[in-house]
Amino acid sequence: MENPFKHIDQPLKEVPSELKSKVMSDIAMAKLIMELAVLFSYNLGDVIETVVKSRKDKK
């Protein structure tokens, strides 16, 4: 079996442009989905804090 650590010190190879654009597109889509999830989800810590404060104010 060949030692894979021998290849660490080798110069980097150029990535094909179509593969690079596909990866960048996938990353952009994942980022968009994460931002939409944050936009349409509740910050549960903030919700709990607001409910507790409103209950203390009513007493």
Side-chain angles (χ1 to χ4, degrees):
M1 183 172 186
E2 187 179 344
N3 185 356
F5 294 104
K6 288 183 179 179
H7 301 289
I8 290 177
D9 208 16
Q10 301 296 320
L12 297 175
K13 295 180 181 177
E14 186 63 32
V15 178
S17 62
E18 48 287 335
L19 179 61
K20 189 175 183 179
S21 65
K22 170 84 168 87
V23 169
M24 294 305 288
S25 173
D26 290 347
I27 290 172
M29 184 60 69
K31 185 177 177 185
L32 175 66
I33 291 170
M34 287 173 35
E35 289 175 355
L36 286 172
V38 169
L39 182 64
F40 289 108
S41 65
Y42 291 111
N43 181 351
L44 292 179
D46 189 40
V47 170
I48 292 170
E49 183 179 339
T50 304
V51 169
V52 169
K53 281 183 180 178
S54 66
R55 285 187 179 178
K56 285 182 179 177
D57 292 340
K58 290 182 180 180
K59 286 184 176 182

